[in-house]
């Protein structure tokens, strides 16, 4: 995997002050700390190339409710927006309008008033943050889909509102380069330009925990096909999830921001 997505990402990249009030801790209708355009520009981008050690961790990394309820609310920033460590807290990054070559869509995992906690596509795995939502800054949508990957059973399942709409046998990472577990999500859809083993690669928000970099990229974990089906039911990738063509044909139909629960 990581090699594939890393190469694809590289090819596309080359070518292509105020404080809150006492209610701030509750996040109920509190205003964000003011950030000027200059300050926003200096904040690091929350992308697959980023490493935001100061980002809050996903408070429920192993949550599997999406497989029963769907991903839920997803957000698209209409412009670059500041990401905070808590409602009315300190800004530590900015969420750009695009991830790689696709529009940014991120899942919401908690809400407090006008604030939404979102999952971020950066290292470390499970990074999250809070954004202040207004009609001017973000677009909201409902996503009823989810993907569940069972590493031990070598299966991938797509559900819609908790109802299974497809299941396939897959390949996952080998022991020395395991596919990382946790709730992650589809961040982009890439038409492969470097390798010919998969027409489309779906990079996820998680990264390899054994590869700091791979194939010139940041070690992004992805979903993709393979030249043959020798991978089916085996742990033989460098961390990516290998699927059959039939599975990929269905996966590419899913909205960006769809949660992928790897257990």
């Amino acid at each position: 995997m990581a090699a594939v997505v890393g190469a694809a990402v590289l090819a596309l990249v080359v070518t292509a002050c105020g404080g809150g009030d006492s209610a701030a801790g509750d996040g109920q209708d509190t205003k964000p700390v003011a950030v000027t355009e200059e300050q926003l520009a200096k904040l690091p981008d929350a992308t697959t190339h980023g490493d935001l050690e100061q980002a809050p961790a996903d408070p429920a990394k192993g949550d599997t409710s999406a497989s029963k309820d769907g991903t839920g609310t997803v957000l698209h920033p209409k412009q670059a927006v500041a990401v905070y460590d808590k409602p009315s807290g300190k800004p530590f990054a900015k969420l750009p309008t695009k991830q790689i070559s696709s529009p940014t869509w991120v899942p919401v995992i908690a809400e407090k008033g006008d604030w939404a906690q979102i999952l971020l596509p950066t290292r470390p795995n499970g990074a999250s943050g809070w954004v202040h939502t207004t009609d001017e800054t973000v677009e909201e949508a409902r996503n009823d889909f989810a993907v569940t990957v069972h590493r031990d059973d070598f299966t991938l399942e797509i559900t819609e509102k908790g109802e299974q709409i497809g299941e396939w046998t897959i390949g996952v990472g080998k022991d020395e380069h395991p596919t990382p577990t946790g709730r992650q999500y589809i961040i982009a859809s890439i038409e492969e330009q470097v390798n010919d083993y998969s027409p489309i690669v779906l990079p996820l928000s998680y990264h390899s925990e054994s590869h700091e970099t791979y194939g010139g990229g940041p070690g992004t974990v992805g979903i993709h096909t393979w030249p043959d089906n020798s991978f089916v039911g085996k742990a033989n990738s460098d961390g990516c999830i290998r699927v059959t063509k039939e599975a990929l044909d269905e996966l590419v139909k899913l909205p960006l921001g769809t949660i992928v629960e790897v257990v």
Side-chain angles (χ1 to χ4, degrees):
M1 140 294 118
V4 177
V5 173
V9 170
L10 179 63
L12 285 166
V13 170
V14 171
T15 62
C17 237
D21 56 24
S22 59
D26 297 327
Q28 299 299 323
D29 300 320
T30 55
K31 301 300 181 183
V33 172
V35 177
T36 66
E37 289 188 14
E38 182 179 1
Q39 290 171 327
L40 184 67
K42 291 181 179 179
L43 291 173
D45 287 330
T47 71
T48 191
H49 294 277
D51 191 339
L52 302 174
E53 291 293 339
Q54 68 273 46
D58 179 354
K61 186 177 179 181
D63 184 276
T64 57
S65 60
S67 61
K68 304 177 183 67
D69 307 322
T71 293
T73 301
V74 289
L75 297 181
H76 167 64
K78 297 179 180 179
Q79 59 197 46
V81 296
V83 182
Y84 299 79
D85 57 1
K86 61 183 178 180
S88 292
K90 179 182 178 182
F92 64 88
K94 64 178 180 291
L95 187 68
T97 60
K98 283 192 173 184
Q99 297 291 333
I100 311 176
S101 59
S102 299
T104 296
W105 283 96
V106 294
V108 174
I109 58 173
E111 294 181 273
K112 291 183 178 180
D114 291 334
W115 290 86
Q117 186 178 18
I118 58 174
L119 296 179
L120 300 175
T122 66
R123 290 183 187 269
N125 289 339
S128 73
W130 291 85
V131 294
H132 189 250
T133 62
T134 68
D135 291 339
E136 291 74 29
T137 58
V138 301
E139 176 184 354
E140 293 188 6
R142 172 75 191 182
N143 184 334
D144 293 324
F145 298 93
V147 177
T148 303
V149 173
H150 293 275
R151 297 190 308 175
D152 292 344
D153 296 336
F154 301 102
T155 60
L156 180 148
E157 175 188 32
I158 300 177
T159 54
E160 181 179 8
K161 295 181 179 179
E163 295 294 324
Q164 185 188 101
I165 60 176
E167 184 178 33
W168 299 268
T169 304
I170 61 170
V172 297
K174 60 189 75 170
D175 289 344
E176 60 268 37
H177 302 300
T179 301
T181 59
R183 61 173 174 180
Q184 38 207 287
Y185 62 97
I186 300 171
I187 65 172
S189 179
I190 301 175
E191 183 176 353
E192 184 58 71
Q193 299 176 0
V194 177
N195 300 296
D196 59 5
Y197 52 77
S198 187
I200 300 290
V201 174
L202 300 177
L204 302 180
S205 58
Y206 270 30
H207 297 75
S208 169
E209 295 175 340
S210 57
H211 289 296
E212 286 298 320
T213 182
Y214 197 90
T220 309
V221 172
I223 302 175
H224 58 78
T225 56
W226 200 242
D228 55 50
N229 287 340
S230 61
F231 66 89
V232 174
K234 297 178 182 178
N236 54 10
S237 80
D238 278 291
C240 273
I241 300 164
R242 294 176 178 174
V243 299
T244 61
K245 180 182 183 301
E246 293 74 20
L248 186 66
D249 287 344
E250 296 303 314
L251 287 162
V252 297
K253 298 175 184 177
L254 300 178
L256 298 178
T258 296
I259 285 180
V260 178
E261 299 169 344
V262 180
V263 297

